Amino acid sequence: MPRLALSPEFPAGLAALDQPVRRDVVVAARRFLQNVAGAPHPERVRGARDPRVATLRLADRHRGVVVRQRDVYWLLTVLPDAEAWAYAQRYRFGVNTALGVVEMWDAEALDRVRPAVRRAAEATTSRLFSDICDSDLAELGVDGRFLPLVRQITDQLTLEALEPLLPPTQYEPLAALARGESMAGAWRELENCRATAPDPEPINPEDFGAALTRSPDRAVFTPHPRELNRVLEAPGWCVFLYPPQRRLAYWESYRQPTVVTGGAGTGKTLIALHRAAHLASRGRGQVLLVTFSQGLSAELATRLDVLVEDGVIRKRIEVGNVDRLAHRIVAEAEGRPPSLVGATELTTLWEETRTGHSPAFLLREWEQVVLAQNLRTLEEYLRAPRPGRSVELSRQERTVVWNAVGHVTGQLRERGRRTLLQLAAEASTLLGRTTGDLLEEIEPAREPYRHIVVDEAQDLHPAQWRLLRAAVPHAPDDLFIVGDPHQRIFDTRVTLDAVGIDAVRQRLRVSYRLPREILSWGVRLRGGGPADGLVKGVQELYGFRGVRYGPRPAVRAYDSPRDELTGLVAQVGQWVDEGVPPEEIAVAARTSGLVRDARAALRELGVRVTTLHGMKGLEFRRVAVIGVGDGVVPDPGSLTPVGEDPAARAHDLQRERGLLYVACTRATEFLYVSHSGRASPFLPT
């Protein structure tokens, strides 16, 4: 019986075929897998650069291309006959001698560029890797057949031009050396190409089947028709993860809390979904997959339903947000649902204090200092640092503020009302009372969950973090956290160690979603500067990069809002005419009025129209962000007055910038940005 493995390109190519052809291909693949009468048989390819390459006739005038070794068949793609033959002749395949994973080489293109590289080398004595000996390159897994070309590379630009033709396992360590990094740095880049834990067995470069098992990002074995159907029918993100994503999601066990940070498009949410599924599959207790909003938790639940087929495993995973968790814990303790205070009522209460400070200032002081540090007494508040608060308060002024907080909380208590952050603080206190020192036990006692996976972690408040810490026992695989401080849309800047979570950090540097053009434009929009939170110190966008090219973002200026809407309708209509499904198009704006106008204008096209906040955690092929004009973005009503608190205003501006950055980085293919009148100061020039 053949052992059949599918590459991620095969389901993608299958989906592009007409329905009758697609049906015939699936039937033929099943027959081949089961080795029954009428199954396609491998046919040699004349002129192939790799003798192991063959084709299978899978449908009328369509062939699959496979790499075979003994009973192992790696099914790469399905194409019309002529294209399949050309594909089969173009590539060669190998096993990386350092990691033991499969490699795919564009051998035909490399043959074409060799003369140009050689001519450039003849024109100068400079060589990019002249200081690196052959044995060091071999240790990094550089292919011996590629080494002569490596020795002729004169500069970084030449190496970068070769990137699309090379396996990542060859390019990444060479690029690190070219940047001036040490062998250790080159090894770190190479390790990012590893999707699984290191294999204790020696690597045999001739064992292609073993290499495929080490390469789950490139090959998934389908031993039975059911598995074949699963790979062909499931979305690609359910089956194939990039090596860093898969390694983090499916690592056997983390001894302490783990936080994964990474920029837009690095796959943090996918990692969180797969990690939750992996933990649930082990059956060691209930898993909570949590994020900061109800809308995002609903999206996570929908995707989890697709990812996890087994109903028993799926029931072990609860998907929610921190507010709902706090609400439930308090309701269960008090025997009735807690009542929440509205924004208008809360503002009125702050106004009653007559401290000389605005309600917004007092609310931030309460949330970002008092609740953030869980301060219980005036003495604690008088001694407490006030990070991020640039308006100094004397001892007397702090006493006045503390009395104002006491007035508001007292009034809320009398009325039976609470804020969401108060609920989180009370819920963590309730859990602490019921669990006590049982938190230190290896097995869960009365904590609600055995594992908690957190998505969009950068937007959680310290009170919410304390609740999550109390909801899971201190044990291996207790907390798995993903987030990006550069995508923060709320002003919460907390390090995990400050709330009792001693986390190990893992960092993702490659955006697989964004074309390089959108990524570089977005980084300039965001400012590229450091961001704090989640881990100690600040985090830079330096080193964050994309892996593919695409069109540059289109920025359009219009004379009036009416003209801008007309241009939007024309642009979205063009996308639909080009065959982009409406559900893969999104339009976003900063204000509800702009959203309402855009929805009315685009009603017949059926695309999604939402606020910038509503784009959080989603992705679309085409994205239009409208109304990015001065006086709209940043939203003046969301900014602290200049004279009230300079630090708070700076944070507000950075939050608004981050919000626009989040919306613009939802586009996987094309980004359209428009404004009427003068452009927003955030837009790159």
Side-chain angles (χ1 to χ4, degrees), residues 299-576:
E299 176 70 19
L300 289 177
T302 300
R303 300 182 77 174
L304 202 60
D305 291 340
V306 177
L307 175 63
V308 182
E309 288 187 311
D310 189 311
V312 174
I313 295 176
R314 178 63 182 88
K315 286 181 181 179
R316 294 183 189 135
I317 309 173
E318 178 185 329
V319 185
N321 64 74
V322 187
D323 294 336
R324 190 167 68 179
L325 173 63
H327 191 278
R328 188 181 73 219
I329 292 170
V330 174
E332 290 175 354
E334 298 180 349
R336 65 180 185 279
S339 178
L340 296 175
V341 64
T344 301
E345 181 181 1
L346 187 59
T347 297
T348 300
L349 289 176
W350 288 116
E351 289 173 343
E352 292 173 0
T353 63
R354 302 183 185 280
T355 62
H357 296 291
S358 72
F361 178 92
L362 294 171
L363 178 63
R364 284 193 298 271
E365 187 74 10
W366 183 39
E367 291 184 342
Q368 297 176 15
V369 179
V370 177
L371 289 176
Q373 299 179 55
N374 199 26
L375 305 177
R376 303 297 181 88
T377 66
L378 172 60
E379 288 70 24
E380 290 179 345
Y381 177 54
L382 291 174
R383 294 193 303 266
R386 299 171 60 247
R389 308 287 284 151
S390 61
V391 175
E392 295 292 333
L393 295 178
S394 66
R395 185 181 181 87
Q396 181 178 359
E397 288 172 321
R398 286 202 191 196
T399 302
V400 170
V401 170
W402 182 260
N403 291 335
V405 170
H407 169 78
V408 171
T409 55
Q411 287 295 310
L412 290 175
R413 189 164 47 251
E414 288 182 11
R415 302 177 187 186
R417 304 289 182 87
R418 279 167 284 201
T419 68
L420 287 172
L421 290 182
Q422 280 183 299
L423 279 187
E426 291 180 24
S428 62
T429 300
L430 288 168
L431 285 181
R433 288 172 183 168
T434 59
T435 59
D437 60 6
L438 296 175
L439 286 173
E440 299 301 329
E441 293 189 2
I442 297 301
E443 294 301 322
R446 284 168 286 181
E447 295 87 355
Y449 306 99
R450 175 60 184 83
H451 313 281
I452 294 181
V453 179
V454 185
D455 188 29
E456 302 290 354
Q458 71 277 354
D459 286 311
L460 295 185
H461 186 274
Q464 297 172 317
W465 280 118
R466 284 191 286 269
L467 170 57
L468 293 177
R469 177 63 278 181
V472 66
H474 289 261
D477 298 314
D478 49 0
L479 283 163
F480 187 85
I481 300 158
V482 302
D484 177 16
H486 292 96
Q487 296 186 66
R488 183 186 295 118
I489 62 174
F490 296 112
D491 199 11
T492 52
R493 301 162 184 267
V494 59
T495 58
L496 294 174
D497 63 337
V499 289
I501 300 174
D502 181 19
V504 173
R505 179 191 178 191
Q506 304 283 343
R507 186 177 181 187
L508 300 167
R509 297 178 179 271
V510 178
S511 177
Y512 301 102
R513 179 176 72 223
L514 299 176
R516 290 179 174 179
E517 291 76 9
I518 294 179
L519 179 61
S520 61
W521 188 87
V523 168
R524 286 189 290 133
L525 180 151
R526 171 59 180 75
D532 55 356
L534 290 184
V535 296
K536 287 183 179 179
V538 296
Q539 299 177 68
E540 304 279 355
L541 281 172
Y542 173 77
F544 182 37
R545 58 187 177 82
V547 296
R548 59 188 175 88
Y549 294 93
R552 293 182 178 179
V555 181
R556 301 285 183 263
Y558 294 92
D559 293 331
S560 68
R562 174 176 291 185
D563 291 342
E564 187 178 1
L565 278 179
T566 300
L568 173 68
V569 173
Q571 179 65 79
V572 174
Q574 178 183 331
W575 290 343
V576 173

Side-chain angles (χ1 to χ4, degrees), residues 9 45 47-54 65-68 74 76 84-97 101-114 141-150 162 164-171 174 205-206 208 212 218:
E9 289 77 21
V45 178
R49 286 173 168 80
D50 193 315
R52 296 169 296 186
V53 175
V65 181
V66 297
V67 182
R68 58 176 178 167
W74 184 26
L76 298 168
W85 290 119
Y87 185 101
Q89 293 168 339
R90 177 171 183 165
Y91 295 96
R92 71 171 175 87
F93 304 86
V95 176
N96 183 272
T97 55
V101 299
V102 295
E103 294 182 330
M104 183 173 179
W105 297 76
D106 191 339
E108 179 183 283
L110 278 173
D111 287 343
R112 288 200 303 266
V113 303
R114 286 179 195 276
V142 175
D143 191 294
R145 289 170 291 182
F146 179 45
L147 188 57
L149 186 62
V150 171
L162 294 175
L165 316 181
L166 304 176
T169 42
Q170 298 288 320
Y171 177 78
L174 290 175
E206 302 304 318
F208 202 74
L212 290 174
R218 297 296 308 147

Side-chain angles (χ1 to χ4, degrees), residues 83-164:
E83 295 178 38
W85 290 119
Y87 185 101
Q89 293 168 339
R90 177 171 183 165
Y91 295 96
R92 71 171 175 87
F93 304 86
V95 176
N96 183 272
T97 55
L99 301 186
V101 299
V102 295
E103 294 182 330
M104 183 173 179
W105 297 76
D106 191 339
E108 179 183 283
L110 278 173
D111 287 343
R112 288 200 303 266
V113 303
R114 286 179 195 276
V117 176
R118 184 172 59 250
R119 286 194 298 271
E122 291 171 351
T124 179
T125 59
S126 175
R127 298 292 185 272
L128 187 58
F129 301 107
S130 59
D131 294 335
I132 312 296
C133 67
D134 287 357
S135 60
D136 283 346
L137 293 176
E139 183 182 342
L140 291 170
V142 175
D143 191 294
R145 289 170 291 182
F146 179 45
L147 188 57
L149 186 62
V150 171
R151 288 304 183 194
Q152 293 180 326
I153 296 175
T154 58
D155 52 38
Q156 277 188 265
L157 289 178
T158 303
L159 178 63
E160 291 170 4
L162 294 175
E163 181 183 4

